[in-house]
Amino acid sequence: MTQKITIAIDGFSSTGKSTIAKQLAKELGYIYVDTGAMYRAVTLYAMQQNYISDSHFNPNDLIADLHNVSLSFIFNKSLGFAEMILNNINVEKAIRTIEVSRLVSKIATISEVRKKLVSEQQEMGKNKGIVMDGRDIGTVVFPDAELKLFMTASADKRATRRYKELLDRGDKVNYEEILHNVQERDRIDSTREDSPLVIAKDAIEFDNSDMGLKEQFERIISLVNRNFK
Ligand code: DC
């Protein structure tokens, strides 16, 4: 590859964005950044400080304390991807629980949180050669990204995938609860005031309800090779 580009991957939750993004980054020798992990880490912090729970939410307390939230990634060679570090502690596993999934969309509505994370994401991508996935990458973080993908799939397909993932991890899970979480996050992510999940005008939409990973990957990599080699 002669020129390094920026690849933005947005879309609904559990559409397999991160799996595709990781594979693409590996194939191209690019950095991969999972921005959902950053919103999840802030959510975990807010839960630990008791700023949010299922029964209460104090955004102003979190906003006043945001300067104490330090986020970074550390590459784990054996896993082949970067793990999320919150204030020097590896929280990669702790941010993937159903409790964090239930509360993260609320945290992601806070403009001050978004401002902090967007500026950190822009800094990480300033030299290009990056694949970043999230909800606002092609619209807000890197509106000039050379390649923008938007992933979708039916809520049922996505909930089934997530259910299997959590089962494989050994978690106790309930399909109905996961389906509800997927639908609720779609609703909050798409209707929030600041940076709602919308498809960028110049994004390519991928409905992968009935498409395997291999086929998706091959289509996307051939797109990259055709246009940017
Ligand atoms: O990709 P994920 O499911 O791990 O993301 C968790 C939540 O974070 C998602 O419900 C919305 C929010 N998010 C966001 O608002 N903007 C991003 N760029 C990434 C995630």
Side-chain angles (χ1 to χ4, degrees):
M1 170 125 350
T2 46
Q3 52 164 332
K4 286 204 167 194
I5 62 165
T6 300
I7 303 179
I9 306 186
D10 290 303
F12 293 101
S13 62
S14 304
T15 42
K17 298 186 296 293
S18 64
T19 310
I20 283 291
K22 265 181 230 162
Q23 275 187 9
L24 267 180
K26 192 167 174 215
E27 176 79 16
L28 300 169
Y30 280 16
I31 295 167
Y32 162 61
V33 177
D34 171 1
T35 63
M38 299 170 75
Y39 287 91
R40 287 171 178 272
V42 175
T43 304
L44 182 66
Y45 181 83
M47 287 162 67
Q48 289 166 345
Q49 303 299 321
N50 208 22
Y51 301 144
I52 192 167
S53 73
D54 282 324
S55 53
H56 79 288
F57 179 30
N58 294 330
N60 290 334
D61 292 351
L62 173 62
I63 293 166
D65 197 16
L66 262 186
H67 60 280
N68 288 317
V69 178
S70 161
L71 302 176
S72 57
F73 288 96
I74 186 161
F75 192 75
N76 179 324
K77 257 194 186 164
S78 59
L79 291 176
F81 65 88
E83 296 183 292
M84 188 75 239
I85 309 295
L86 163 65
N87 294 340
N88 295 318
I89 294 172
N90 187 327
V91 293
E92 185 57 36
K93 193 148 192 270
I95 59 171
R96 308 286 168 194
T97 61
I98 189 90
E99 290 75 24
V100 172
S101 299
R102 210 164 41 227
L103 299 173
V104 61
S105 281
K106 280 193 189 159
I107 295 293
T109 61
I110 305 174
S111 288
E112 288 79 356
V113 169
R114 304 203 68 83
K115 210 166 146 218
K116 173 184 167 80
L117 300 196
V118 166
S119 104
E120 292 179 11
Q121 289 152 10
Q122 288 172 333
E123 182 63 27
M124 291 182 227
K126 68 176 186 225
N127 296 324
K128 297 188 178 272
I130 194 163
V131 183
M132 194 173 274
D133 79 14
R135 304 292 190 289
D136 59 345
I137 311 305
T139 49
V140 176
V141 183
F142 298 123
D144 298 329
E146 287 83 354
L147 180 62
K148 299 180 186 179
L149 303 172
F150 191 90
M151 317 292 274
T152 62
S154 70
D156 175 52
K157 281 268 157 82
R158 291 185 281 134
T160 305
R161 287 176 192 157
R162 187 91 192 104
Y163 177 73
K164 286 188 182 146
E165 251 173 51
L166 291 171
L167 262 191
D168 287 348
R169 268 180 36 154
D171 288 6
K172 260 177 94 183
V173 280
N174 170 304
Y175 173 79
E176 290 305 323
E177 189 185 349
I178 292 175
L179 180 63
H180 176 73
N181 174 254
V182 160
Q183 290 167 329
E184 190 57 11
R185 276 207 283 159
D186 286 357
R187 188 185 65 74
I188 302 178
D189 293 346
S190 314
T191 56
R192 68 174 172 233
E193 228 164 83
D194 188 349
S195 320
L197 173 64
V198 287
I199 179 164
K201 276 199 293 294
D202 48 351
I204 300 165
E205 189 168 348
F206 255 84
D207 183 333
N208 63 22
S209 302
D210 299 305
M211 211 189 282
L213 260 180
K214 192 162 175 276
E215 186 185 347
Q216 279 179 74
F217 181 69
E218 279 166 6
R219 282 206 200 186
I220 296 170
I221 203 77
S222 75
L223 207 79
V224 174
N225 290 335
R226 218 174 32 242
N227 294 295
F228 302 104
K229 233 177 179 171

